[in-house]
Amino acid sequence: MPQPNNTASALKGPTEAQSLPIAIRDITKTYGSVTALNKVSLDIKSGEFMTLLGPSGSGKTSLLMALAGFLRPDHGSIKFGEEEIVLKPPHRRGIGMMFQSYALFPHMNVFANIAYPLKIRGRSKSEIKAAVDEVLETVQLLGYGSRRISELSGGQRQRIALARAVVSRPKILLMDEPLSALDKNLRELMQVELRAMHERLGMTTVLVTHDQREALTMSDRIAVLRGGAISQIDTPERIYNAPGSAFVAAFMGESSFLPVTVSASGYGYAGKPLKVASSTAVGETGLLVVRPEKLELLNSGADNQASNVFDGTFERLLFQGDSCLFFVRLADGNLLTMRRHLTQGEHASLPQVGSPIAVALPENETFVVANDREA
Ligand code: ADP
Ligand code: MG
């Protein structure tokens, strides 16, 4: 369906800003002995798509609820633009919200569900009709107004919940795991649609997810949470390719870690020097982060030129459809995994399982991080 290019401008007044920056300062929240949020500070730019990513219990929902006004922090400040809102009730914060359980009203039709936030704000009937139709078009469900909620698929309900979240044209949109109830294909489609809608409407958006790929796909920046504090804030590319710690590296994707030594003369692994592009190691040890897709398979005998070569035993090959995973056991017992796409011809020329194998990590892909995994 062709998208109207005037949706955003028709939805908002010509001089009205469509987004606001968010400034979070020193937000702390404890529940008895549990510290849900520990002095969190975060600046979100006007119009930015920021994702709060972290394992279960890391404080994502607590932080989002503090923004929404359903959680009163023990300490700290939150500003939307110039305005301190930490004591303001939720309905006066001018935000749109969407959650995993979309909480549509089952006894109302689609139109009435979406119209609800405008109705309680006392908008006129004609205003409400125009706004609902526009937002239905934005979520590609124009003409569905009189449908019952029970007649809709899961994906359509999710779009209605999204339409309801943005119909009052909030400058800030907050979403907590909005797609986690959907199956994989629909979730990926909705990720693209959500991102496209963000680009059209331009509101500052804060998304909570525990799904790394979703965060990488959708965000301008990602804040990785751990134990109620922010571990790293960065662009998806940097979070993935230049993680600041082993925790972030492990959380963001498949990786092997090798213990390395750090000294004035450089980096070393298993007594051999290592060429390293970047490092956040502190002290005399660190962990080398090895993403499976960054490793290169060396031809036996050749390629002595390559730096960062790891010799080991080809322990196992896993066929995974679009690619194969090689398990390489190093002499000291550490395991590296390497991911390759193999053509039919390459399958025939692979080394035998159990035979020696050499893999290399290009210098520009070589990152050493501080070992904070057990911290
Ligand atoms: P996430 O959304 O990242 O899974 P939460 O913000 O829900 O994390 O929770 C952070 C921590 O605070 C967890 O340890 C959780 O058990 C605790 N917590 C959250 N809400 C409450 C509550 N109402 N009472 C007690 N503990 C809570
Ligand atoms: Mg949560």
Side-chain angles (χ1 to χ4, degrees), residues 54-62 100 176-177 208-210:
S56 176
S58 58
K60 307 180 296 292
T61 294
S62 297
Q100 176 183 352
D176 193 349
E177 311 258 2
V208 162
T209 184
H210 65 272

Side-chain angles (χ1 to χ4, degrees), residues 13 16 47 96 115 125 135 147 150 181 197 205 207 247 263 273 302 319 348 364:
E16 195 183 354
K125 270 196 166 156
V135 84
R147 295 281 186 99
S150 59
M197 192 201 67
T205 300
L207 170 77
F247 171 79
S263 72
F319 175 69
N364 62 347

Side-chain angles (χ1 to χ4, degrees), residues 117-337:
L118 300 177
K119 220 172 155 188
I120 59 173
R121 285 173 169 82
R123 303 286 174 80
S124 75
K125 270 196 166 156
S126 61
E127 245 183 315
I128 291 177
K129 170 89 174 75
V132 172
D133 279 349
E134 287 204 35
V135 84
L136 274 174
E137 189 157 4
T138 296
V139 298
Q140 301 177 25
L141 286 174
L142 200 58
Y144 280 69
S146 57
R147 295 281 186 99
R148 294 160 61 93
I149 297 299
S150 59
E151 293 168 347
L152 302 178
S153 69
Q156 288 170 334
R157 288 179 203 200
Q158 214 64 358
R159 288 193 191 134
I160 298 303
L162 182 59
R164 188 178 60 182
V166 300
V167 72
S168 61
R169 305 198 5 262
K171 294 173 183 175
I172 293 170
L173 176 63
L174 306 176
M175 298 186 282
D176 193 349
E177 311 258 2
L179 308 179
S180 59
L182 304 177
D183 68 41
K184 184 170 178 287
N185 290 341
L186 189 54
R187 195 163 69 233
E188 287 175 357
L189 182 69
M190 285 292 291
Q191 287 168 2
V192 175
E193 289 188 11
L194 252 178
R195 182 67 218 194
M197 192 201 67
H198 172 258
E199 274 152 27
R200 282 202 300 282
L201 300 185
M203 75 284 269
T204 310
T205 300
V206 186
L207 170 77
V208 162
T209 184
H210 65 272
D211 180 333
Q212 304 81 306
R213 190 173 287 272
E214 183 164 296
L216 292 170
T217 304
M218 299 185 71
S219 323
D220 294 320
R221 283 192 302 161
I222 298 170
V224 182
L225 271 78
R226 179 190 200 184
I230 293 178
S231 239
Q232 188 171 355
I233 310 172
D234 229 322
T235 60
E237 290 75 17
R238 286 194 54 81
I239 290 268
Y240 187 81
N241 288 318
S245 66
F247 171 79
V248 172
F251 191 69
M252 290 315 297
E254 287 180 304
S255 34
S256 312
F257 294 94
L258 297 180
V260 301
T261 55
V262 186
S263 72
S265 58
Y267 297 85
Y269 170 68
K272 281 165 63 179
L274 203 62
K275 290 188 177 163
V276 171
S278 95
S279 173
T280 57
V282 277
E284 293 177 349
T285 60
L287 291 173
L288 174 67
V289 181
V290 186
R291 301 284 193 208
E293 74 278 11
K294 312 279 193 192
L295 279 176
E296 292 172 358
L297 179 59
L298 297 184
N299 294 323
S300 54
D303 246 322
N304 295 327
Q305 310 289 29
S307 51
N308 299 341
V309 175
F310 301 95
D311 293 303
T313 305
F314 183 19
E315 192 171 274
R316 182 185 288 271
L317 182 69
L318 290 185
F319 175 69
Q320 297 188 320
D322 58 348
S323 63
C324 291
L325 205 57
F326 293 64
F327 286 34
V328 179
R329 183 69 64 181
L330 304 181
D332 60 6
N334 280 303
L335 184 72
L336 290 181
T337 57

Side-chain angles (χ1 to χ4, degrees), residues 45-99:
K45 295 179 196 126
S46 187
E48 186 169 32
F49 197 121
M50 173 70 80
T51 295
L52 308 178
L53 175 70
S56 176
S58 58
K60 307 180 296 292
T61 294
S62 297
L63 186 54
L64 200 78
M65 288 300 122
L67 294 175
F70 296 110
L71 178 152
R72 171 82 53 92
D74 305 330
H75 177 80
S77 145
I78 301 175
K79 284 184 175 174
F80 291 171
E82 293 302 308
E83 189 189 8
E84 174 63 57
I85 52 87
V86 85
L87 297 177
K88 246 189 170 186
H91 64 276
R92 296 191 46 230
R93 294 190 179 198
I95 49 175
M97 275 182 293
M98 184 179 173
F99 302 110

